[in-house]
Structures are given as structure tokens and as C-alpha cells.
Amino acid sequence: MAVSWTFADIPDLTGRTAVVTGASSGLGLVVARQLTAHGATVIAAVRDVGKAARVLPGSEARQLDLADLDSVDAFATGLHEEGRTVDLLVNNAGIGGHQGRRLSPQGIEMQFATNFLGHFALTGRLLDLVRDDGRVVHVGSGLYRLFRVAPPFDDPAAERSYSPSRAYVASKLANLLFGLELDRRLRRAGRPVRSLVAHPGLAKTELNDDIGHPALRATMAVLQALIGRPAERAAVPLLFAATDPGARGGVFIGPGNRKWDDRVHLDPVVAPADDPALAGRLWDRARAWTAVEYPPDLR
């Protein structure tokens, strides 16, 4: 199924509060600017607060390093202490592995720690602040259909083997598994909060600016020319998931395969992301890695 949808279809968000991770550049910046333009109060959860303040005037820029679980805890604690409520959490921030294997402060491979595990912890810490008609949006990647990988259940530090591309796809698959599992648990508990998964396709953002290998850099340049979309167009599915009244969970929201197809596609989720047992195993491991407990009715 596909629907025609543009930024003009974003409803009035006056009085709403949105937390957007990675809001100072790329897709997150487009999302944050559009939410602000339609009346929302945006809390920009970023590593570089000064940059966010410059590019997002009028937003609340707050420091958050998703790779560091202590930073996630401090960010969430601040919102709790202020008695804030959240209508929308956009788990957008992400990194590539072009700088080689690195570890988070807690010893987790950096892409997995940043792209997935930090968002799992953040969502768990903020969920009690999300209002009943709120939603959580997780950003995955359609690459999970092409590269058969699995979350690093037994090797979260990637000590035994490491491939930057496979680690990236594994982290994005984890986001997809998590978003769908959260949706199932919310519905089973009778909660009206929505959990949706979306992806931008191949977006022309800063994520690939630091590719060092000449052959990979050349390949990416060709792919960008053939199917790449600028951030403004690539962010459309994310904003649809975040704001459209009819957006629903259980599907993968993204662009079409053809570069100039600007409709939002609601695609079925395929293996391995459609496996509840795999998602449940990831959920349990993420709880152990983060020491973050979700509410009892979601466990």
C-alpha cells in the first residue's frame, strides 16, 4: 500500500512536545524543523548542544550521547525531575562504522550501542512520560532484507569478528525488531501509545561522509546518484510515522524503490524482522545490557 503525503499534511502540533535524537543534522534536523514549524515544542537530544542551538533556534537543545548509558540516564532523569510529558519520541540518531571497530563506555560495539541499545534504554526510561495518545518512532533500514544478519547476542563487543556494514545492518534490524515488539506489548497491555517503524531509504546525509575506503566510497557515490534522496525527501516517511493520524504499527513505513516515487509505502515486514521469538530474545538481552526495566505490563 502507498499513500501520497507531504509536509503540508502534518497536522497542527501546538501544545505537543517531541524528543528527537540526532536532531542537529541530516534526517533529524529535517524532522525537528518540520515539527517545530507545525507548532511542536522540540527537545533536541544531541551530542553537540551548541550546534543544535545554532541550527534549531527555538528548540530545547539537551546533551545526549546514546552510546553512553550514563548519558541516557542523565537525560531521562532531567526530564523526570522537571515533570515533563512527551507526545512524540523519534529515535532517529545513528552512526556508521567507517572509522573501524570502536566500543562504547560500557564495552558494546559502537554502532549497536548508538543506533539501537541507547534508544532501547531511552525509550524505557521515558515511556512513563509519554502521554496516552503519544507515539514512539524507530528508524530502521531496508537493508535488512538484503543482508541476512542477526543481533550480536553472544558477541556485543564484536570481539570475534567485525564488519562495519554488517554491524550497521544488525543495529538497524535490532531497531526494527524492537519497534515491532514494543508495538505488540503495548497492544497486549491495552495501552494506546503507538510504536511505529520507518526508514528513509538511501538518504544523502552526513552519515556516509567519512567513508575512507576508495572502492566503497565510489560505490556509494554511484548508489546515491541512482537511488539516493536528499534529506528533505528521505525524512517524509519518518514524519508520516510521527504525525499522521492514520499511521499504524506492524508495517515498515518508507519510500518506494524508484527514486522519484515520493509516496509513503506501508510495506509488510519480512524475515527475520517478523519473528516474535527473535524480538523477544533481543528484548531480554537489551534489558540485561542496559539494566533498564520497562513497566511491569510490558515485560
Side-chain angles (χ1 to χ4, degrees):
M1 177 180 175
V3 297
S4 296
W5 195 90
T6 70
F7 294 156
D9 294 306
I10 298 174
D12 180 22
L13 302 174
T14 301
R16 302 280 184 169
T17 297
V19 175
V20 182
T21 67
S24 61
S25 63
L27 299 170
L29 179 58
V30 176
V31 169
R33 283 175 170 168
Q34 286 297 324
L35 295 177
T36 299
H38 287 82
T41 296
V42 172
I43 299 175
V46 297
R47 286 180 295 180
D48 188 340
V49 173
K51 178 181 178 182
R54 292 192 301 273
V55 299
L56 283 170
S59 70
E60 297 182 33
R62 300 199 178 201
Q63 205 280 329
L64 173 63
D65 182 355
L66 284 159
D68 186 349
L69 295 175
D70 292 335
S71 177
V72 174
D73 182 69
F75 177 89
T77 297
L79 293 186
H80 278 87
E81 289 178 345
E82 295 168 17
R84 302 294 292 270
T85 57
V86 176
D87 299 279
L88 176 60
L89 171 59
V90 183
N91 289 328
N92 159 81
I95 62 170
H98 308 310
Q99 297 177 5
R101 175 179 173 267
R102 295 178 295 154
L103 299 181
S104 74
Q106 286 76 34
I108 305 294
E109 189 276 319
M110 189 66 79
Q111 289 186 89
F112 192 74
T114 302
N115 299 353
F116 162 65
L117 203 59
H119 283 129
F120 178 91
L122 180 67
T123 302
R125 291 283 281 112
L126 295 185
L127 200 55
D128 61 334
L129 303 183
V130 178
R131 296 204 279 197
D132 284 347
D133 60 347
R135 52 181 87 177
V136 183
V137 176
H138 316 262
V139 180
S141 169
L143 291 173
Y144 87 95
R145 304 185 187 103
L146 304 176
F147 298 92
R148 292 309 174 104
V149 300
F153 294 115
D154 301 318
D155 189 21
E159 292 178 312
R160 293 196 290 270
S161 65
Y162 176 72
S163 161
S165 57
R166 292 182 68 83
Y168 176 80
V169 177
S171 71
K172 289 298 186 175
L173 170 63
N175 281 347
L176 189 50
L177 288 164
F178 167 46
L180 294 167
E181 180 66 10
L182 179 59
D183 175 61
R184 284 188 287 266
R185 294 185 184 219
L186 288 167
R187 287 187 284 110
R188 188 167 62 234
R191 292 194 180 208
V193 175
R194 299 188 217 181
S195 173
L196 305 97
V197 289
H199 73 102
L202 182 58
K204 297 179 180 179
T205 68
E206 298 174 3
L207 183 66
N208 295 310
D209 285 352
D210 60 349
I211 296 177
H213 194 285
L216 182 57
R217 189 166 60 246
T219 300
M220 181 57 66
V222 171
L223 290 173
Q224 292 280 20
L226 291 174
I227 60 174
R229 291 175 170 87
E232 288 74 16
R233 291 174 58 211
V236 168
L238 278 60
L239 281 157
F240 174 88
T243 67
D244 190 84
R248 59 186 176 88
V251 296
F252 203 18
I253 302 169
N257 293 326
R258 291 192 293 269
K259 182 174 181 177
W260 299 111
D261 181 359
D262 282 330
R263 295 175 299 168
V264 175
H265 289 247
L266 312 178
D267 293 327
V269 179
V270 300
D274 62 347
D275 184 350
L278 183 64
R281 183 184 177 196
L282 177 65
W283 184 287
D284 290 339
R285 293 298 292 143
R287 285 176 56 200
W289 286 325
T290 63
V292 169
E293 288 293 346
Y294 275 66
D297 61 338
L298 300 181
R299 293 177 192 167

